[in-house]
Amino acid sequence: AHYLSVGPFEGQNIVKRLPFAKVETNDLPLNIAYRPAGATPLYDAIGKAVISTELSIQEMEEVKEVTVQVNIITDGYENNSVEFNARTIAFLIKTKEKGNWRFHYFGTDHDVHQVAQSLNIEESRTERFTKDRSGFKVMRQTMLNNFSDMMADYFKSKS
């Protein structure tokens, strides 16, 4: 089964636009809007997303084994977090990567590779995109391809 949650962030407004819910592979929402604005509480958004996802998974009795893909999409550097800091998030990501969690970092208007590296996100899972409609479309397709590749790897490991 596939589950998806989307939580946009700006300022201290970190909300779930799409709550953690089961989706069929063919029903992945492709019309998620990206509208950068306001401050960037990047560390708080990552930390809250990881904790929220962990809690959602724990509540699902039928889940025995899970693979999680976290896609971080941002238009700028961290500049507004109050609950988490870079060291905490880097440790959290490193710990989760030892399990079946994979983090991908997509960014624009900053040194995305330096930021991703500082958060323990692999270079191969880091991509810069342009902050316009075509850049977002390319990034979204890359994100979907990454998801498809992850699922193929998972099923291959089970056969």
Side-chain angles (χ1 to χ4, degrees):
H2 300 90
Y3 294 81
L4 175 71
S5 178
V6 176
F9 60 94
E10 66 177 348
Q12 288 308 307
N13 186 22
I14 301 172
V15 297
K16 283 195 173 184
R17 185 173 297 154
L18 292 176
F20 195 81
K22 187 173 184 176
V23 294
E24 298 303 323
T25 305
N26 297 337
D27 295 336
L28 287 173
L30 300 179
N31 60 346
I32 298 170
Y34 176 70
R35 294 182 189 94
T40 306
L42 183 62
Y43 306 146
D44 285 356
I46 296 169
K48 288 178 180 185
V50 168
I51 291 168
S52 172
T53 301
E54 284 179 325
L55 292 172
S56 295
I57 291 168
Q58 289 172 6
E59 291 173 359
M60 297 174 5
E61 295 176 10
E62 73 274 10
V63 175
K64 304 278 187 279
E65 185 178 334
V66 64
T67 301
V68 178
Q69 179 173 311
V70 178
N71 293 296
I72 302 159
I73 305 167
T74 183
D75 67 328
Y77 284 110
E78 153 61 43
N79 64 17
N80 203 39
S81 290
V82 295
E83 296 181 45
F84 295 89
N85 60 39
R87 191 155 77 210
T88 304
I89 296 302
F91 177 78
L92 183 66
I93 289 173
K94 187 174 187 175
T95 301
K96 290 297 179 190
E97 286 268 349
K98 290 179 182 176
N100 289 332
W101 289 60
R102 298 295 171 258
F103 291 80
H104 297 262
Y105 189 90
F106 300 91
T108 186
D109 291 352
H110 64 288
D111 187 341
V112 298
H113 297 286
Q114 184 275 326
V115 172
Q117 181 182 23
S118 74
L119 296 176
N120 287 319
I121 298 173
E122 294 180 17
E123 177 77 19
S124 63
R125 297 192 199 133
T126 303
E127 186 165 323
R128 182 177 177 89
F129 68 97
T130 57
K131 191 169 32 175
D132 57 25
R133 187 174 300 270
S134 65
F136 182 75
K137 285 181 180 179
V138 169
M139 180 274 304
R140 183 178 62 192
Q141 189 57 54
T142 301
M143 187 173 55
L144 291 171
N145 291 345
N146 290 343
F147 179 75
S148 295
D149 292 347
M150 182 186 74
M151 293 308 301
D153 290 346
Y154 172 78
F155 289 118
K156 189 180 349 176
S157 74
K158 296 299 169 194
S159 58

